[in-house]
Amino acid sequence: MFSVVIAIGIAATLAGCTASGSAKAGARTSVIAVLDSKDLGDILVDGKGNVLYAFKPDNASTVSCTFGCATVWPPLSVADKASIAAGDGVDVALLGKLPNPAGGHVVTYNGWPLYRYAADKAPGQHRGQDVFLNGGYWYVMKPDGKPLMP
């Protein structure tokens, strides 16, 4: 798993370098990558290896986890003019962003807003899988664009 985290870090660095030539000053690149989890298979992670989750109530392509909810489930935020880089195994056509009612934008995958879980303390941890919290169930996001629902 350590090698996957290193590879993600390198991809994030490279994506940041290539994005600076095409993105406007002040814009950052968010990187989405695939992690091979021993117990869940391939799942999406951010550039730091944090597992990305979908919130079942967001099924209408809306960001519904805001303010207090977002302290436990921080959204994968992106600046207005920032780009989103797709690592190996990530379908760039499924990447997007939605306005966040709390401000800025949230990265989406297949229309699902993406979040991290504050209780995940190490890269690749997925303590939030199939957890009912903040008014709905949370599921890790798979590279095919579907949350891993039981």
Side-chain angles (χ1 to χ4, degrees), residues 55 63-71 73 75 99-103 106 115 134 138:
F55 187 40
V63 178
S64 61
C65 179
T66 58
F67 305 105
C69 175
T71 61
W73 299 94
N100 186 346
V106 175
Y115 304 87
N134 297 96
W138 295 87

Side-chain angles (χ1 to χ4, degrees), residues 97-117:
K97 58 185 174 180
L98 287 171
N100 186 346
H105 287 83
V106 175
V107 175
T108 63
Y109 197 70
N110 197 27
W112 290 91
L114 298 175
Y115 304 87
R116 291 153 296 170
Y117 185 35

Side-chain angles (χ1 to χ4, degrees), residues 76-128:
L76 183 59
S77 300
V78 65
D80 290 344
K81 299 183 191 268
S83 60
I84 307 164
D88 289 342
V90 176
D91 187 345
V92 70
L94 297 180
L95 289 170
K97 58 185 174 180
L98 287 171
N100 186 346
H105 287 83
V106 175
V107 175
T108 63
Y109 197 70
N110 197 27
W112 290 91
L114 298 175
Y115 304 87
R116 291 153 296 170
Y117 185 35
D120 289 346
K121 299 298 182 190
Q125 252 184 4
H126 47 77
R127 294 178 178 172

Side-chain angles (χ1 to χ4, degrees), residues 1-17 29-37 42-52 76 85-90 122-125:
M1 172 138 81
F2 180 71
S3 61
V4 172
V5 173
I6 296 296
I8 291 169
I10 291 169
T13 301
L14 291 175
C17 292
T29 301
S30 289
V31 178
I32 308 296
V34 175
L35 172 71
D36 182 13
S37 169
D42 289 344
I43 58 177
L44 294 186
V45 295
D46 68 10
K48 294 180 180 177
N50 298 307
V51 172
L52 297 172
L76 183 59
D88 289 342
V90 176
Q125 252 184 4

Side-chain angles (χ1 to χ4, degrees), residues 126-139:
H126 47 77
R127 294 178 178 172
Q129 169 59 16
D130 198 22
V131 167
F132 186 88
L133 196 60
N134 297 96
Y137 280 96
W138 295 87
Y139 304 105

